[in-house]
Amino acid sequence: MTPDMPLTVLGLESSCDDTAAAIIRHVPPARAEILSNVVLDQTDLHAAFGGVVPELAARAHAEKLDLAVEAALEQAAVTLDGVDAIAVTAGPGLIGGVLSGVMLAKGLAAATGLPMIGVNHLAGHALTPRLTDGVDFPYLMLLVSGGHCQFLIAHAPDRFTRLGGTIDDAPGEAFDKTAKLLALPQPGGPSVQAQAAGGNAARFALPRPLLDRDDCNMSFSGLKTAVLRTRDSLIAEHGGLRAGDRADLCAGFQQAVADVLVAKSRRALAQYLALEPAMPVFAVAGGVAANTVLRAGLEGLAKRLGVQFIAPPLALCTDNAAMIAWAGLERLRMGACDDMTLAARPRWPLDQTAAPMLGSGKKGAKA
Ligand code: KG4
Ligand code: ZN
């Protein structure tokens, strides 16, 4: 394969609660074009449980993946004959869902003879700024979602350095749990943000964990506990939560998350710029990157430091298959390809050399 050969790639994503398929076409030197980007989300399926139920997610992926592929092909107006390769998320994530995707990719590859490539889900997020903005390597990336929170230096499609990350909950998880504590709808991010709009962020003193530590690690589980305690003392005092209490608590929580992420981004940027002073680029991805207070904070920080700030459109920040197709395409161009031994990997850190985070358990780092 020549580096500038036109390529059309089908991407599959099923590692959490979105069943997704997409087709992208890349004719160098132009940017890749997203011909279709189908996401069948499972929000309603898990809504009553206050979180993703792995078994329900796996069944829904198994039922819907082929429908997502059909829709992606139809919307892109191509058939499998017009596809050059299949890229599939092979981990990290919920094993049932990842297996559904990998098995479908193997079936399609066996039936069509097309090359297949297993993609790390986090690489999909981390390479998105190259798909959307054509960013050159290297750059610093903050990946902040319901399942992940880490700073990565992207050096190449298959080479990343993790500077740090959360040692417990991901921020999106903390938003979702906070929403649950305050009886707000899921997913928690948008509903907490909406409540926070009318609130006083300074009313409650909520913690900003690990800011005293001179590294890029973060912790969000204490913040969630502080929200619980504050809620309970408000209920004890007033016999229930008043609308203003809820708004102030949401605003305080959101500000605490944003403050921690902005402060740690400053550290990560200092470390990154010491290594790569000639490439001052900072990108963000993941569902929490939709948060307007956080976005404004990160944008302001980048501006003060003279760093280019990139935030892909929301549909490409949250889980999707276009990013998987793109990450697969980048690796294909490097000559990588998988065979029928491709395994689903629930744990698959992008940076295999970084020390596992606290709480990663006996089996090592998840991501
Ligand atoms: O990237 P994503 O779609 O899925 C993964 O977790 O991989 O992120 C979903 C997370 C949820 O926890 C959701 O509450 C959060 O992103 N989120 C937000 C906002 N919109 C979505 N968090 C804060 N503010 C928002 N506006
Ligand atoms: Zn994700």
Side-chain angles (χ1 to χ4, degrees), residues 32 268 272 333:
Y272 168 72
R333 290 211 187 280

Side-chain angles (χ1 to χ4, degrees), residues 127-186:
L127 296 171
T128 300
R130 290 173 52 75
L131 167 66
T132 56
D133 294 78
V135 175
D136 287 328
F137 291 118
Y139 53 91
L140 178 69
M141 179 88 209
L142 167 61
L143 176 53
V144 60
S145 72
H148 309 291
C149 180
Q150 46 186 295
F151 291 103
L152 294 163
I153 301 176
H155 304 279
D158 61 349
R159 203 158 60 81
F160 302 90
T161 304
R162 194 186 66 203
L163 297 181
T166 180
I167 60 168
D168 42 50
D169 292 354
E173 201 179 342
F175 268 98
D176 295 342
K177 286 178 182 164
T178 293
K180 198 176 171 196
L181 289 173
L182 301 179
L184 296 169
Q186 296 293 326

Side-chain angles (χ1 to χ4, degrees), residues 163-167 209-210 213 215-219 260 264 357:
L163 297 181
T166 180
I167 60 168
L210 302 191
R213 286 212 340 219
D215 61 22
C216 301
N217 289 335
M218 292 159 279
S219 161
V260 170
K264 291 292 181 171
M357 306 301 294

Side-chain angles (χ1 to χ4, degrees), residues 13-20 38-65 68 94 96-98 100-101 186-187 319:
E13 156 62 35
S14 55
S15 63
C16 188
D17 59 348
D18 292 299
T19 311
V38 174
V39 180
L40 308 175
D41 82 82
Q42 304 177 353
T43 309
D44 294 347
L45 192 63
H46 305 288
F49 303 99
V52 177
V53 183
E55 182 60 26
L56 292 180
R59 282 172 198 231
H61 288 307
E63 279 166 20
K64 298 263 174 70
L65 258 170
L94 300 172
V98 179
S100 297
Q186 296 293 326
D319 285 352

Side-chain angles (χ1 to χ4, degrees), residues 266-346:
R266 186 181 293 117
R267 296 228 169 109
L269 270 164
Q271 286 187 17
Y272 168 72
L273 291 172
L275 296 168
E276 303 286 357
M279 291 298 288
V281 181
F282 179 41
V284 63
V288 182
N291 189 273
T292 46
V293 171
L294 172 63
R295 227 177 231 250
L298 295 175
E299 220 165 347
L301 171 70
K303 209 169 176 186
R304 285 195 296 283
L305 297 175
V307 167
Q308 187 190 352
F309 179 69
I310 293 170
L314 191 60
L316 297 173
C317 269
T318 54
D319 285 352
N320 67 87
M323 69 178 189
I324 302 303
W326 172 253
L329 189 150
E330 289 231 59
R331 299 220 20 242
L332 272 172
R333 290 211 187 280
M334 295 176 71
C337 188
D338 285 297
D339 60 22
M340 289 297 161
T341 62
L342 175 68
R345 298 172 65 175

